[in-house]
Every structure is written in structure tokens, then in C-alpha cells.
Amino acid sequence: QVQLVESGGGSVQAGGSLRLSCAVSGTTYVSYCMGWFRQAPGKEREGVATIDKYGKARYADSMNGRFTISQDNAKNTLYLQMTSLKPEDTGVYYCAADWTLGTGSCPLIQARFRYWGQGTQVTVSS
């Protein structure tokens, strides 16, 4: 059974950095798409960044180059490096994965992803 487990969340002051990790277990096959989504308090979950198995990344416009998604296929682990964090980045960050083949970059659409982690809390204080 495929499981995704996020780690690396925590509390940080505005301007700080955090690196989130997402470990995939239950399979040795590298997913075609992986991504990070987040849900701020009182808001709907939104896409942050996605990456395909070939390393092609896609970001939400609001990230403005502050976040970097990457993956280690040998470890079957996804990362999100977050810098210049702002209070509005506060929320629960979810890792997602899907093994369905596709074309082009992976979209920032929740329906594209079948498997989800439980989420890790990121809190940015001003």
C-alpha cells in the first residue's frame, strides 16, 4: 500500500526558510507526478508546485520564485525548499503523488493526484 509521509514543518519567523520532505513507501516505482499543495486556515487547498519524474517543475504564480520543488528518485522522496517565508504561507502542506502517465508538466490540480499524505503544519509569524 502506497503511503506518503511529510516531515519538516514547523514554526518560523517571516523571512525564514524551511525544507519539507515527503517520503514515499509501499512501492519502488517512481511516480509520474508529485506535488505540494497547501491549505491555509479558512481557505481551500491550493496547489504550490508539481514535478514530473523527469524533473520538469511547475509553480503557482504566488510562489514568486521563493519555493523550489525537487526530488530524489533513488530515495523516492520529494522536497520543497521554502525561502523568504511570509505569514500568508501559513497552513498545512500536503504531499501528493500519482503514477498515471501523462504528457507535459504536471498540473497544479488536486484531481490529478490519487495519493496524499496527512500533511505537515507550517506556521510563519510576523
Side-chain angles (χ1 to χ4, degrees), residues 7-60:
S7 61
S11 297
V12 64
Q13 290 191 329
S17 300
L18 282 174
R19 189 175 85 150
L20 306 183
S21 299
C22 172
V24 180
S25 63
T27 180
T28 57
Y29 292 99
V30 175
S31 59
Y32 188 85
C33 281
M34 292 199 76
W36 290 98
F37 292 76
R38 70 183 183 186
Q39 187 167 20
K43 295 186 177 181
E44 294 188 353
R45 191 157 55 184
E46 64 176 352
V48 175
T50 63
I51 190 168
D52 70 15
K53 65 182 297 182
Y54 306 109
K56 188 172 183 179
R58 191 167 182 175
Y59 297 91

Side-chain angles (χ1 to χ4, degrees), residues 18-111:
L18 282 174
R19 189 175 85 150
L20 306 183
S21 299
C22 172
V24 180
S25 63
T27 180
T28 57
Y29 292 99
V30 175
S31 59
Y32 188 85
C33 281
M34 292 199 76
W36 290 98
F37 292 76
R38 70 183 183 186
Q39 187 167 20
K43 295 186 177 181
E44 294 188 353
R45 191 157 55 184
E46 64 176 352
V48 175
T50 63
I51 190 168
D52 70 15
K53 65 182 297 182
Y54 306 109
K56 188 172 183 179
R58 191 167 182 175
Y59 297 91
D61 292 341
S62 58
M63 299 308 117
N64 293 327
R66 298 181 296 119
F67 293 3
T68 302
I69 190 171
S70 62
Q71 61 191 356
D72 185 333
N73 289 342
K75 296 181 179 180
N76 225 350
T77 300
L78 179 71
Y79 304 99
L80 184 68
Q81 179 68 49
M82 305 186 292
T83 63
S84 301
L85 283 162
K86 305 174 182 179
E88 51 263 44
D89 293 318
T90 293
V92 179
Y93 283 69
Y94 297 91
C95 169
D98 198 278
W99 277 256
T100 304
L101 296 179
T103 58
S105 60
C106 298
L108 291 158
I109 300 173
Q110 296 182 56

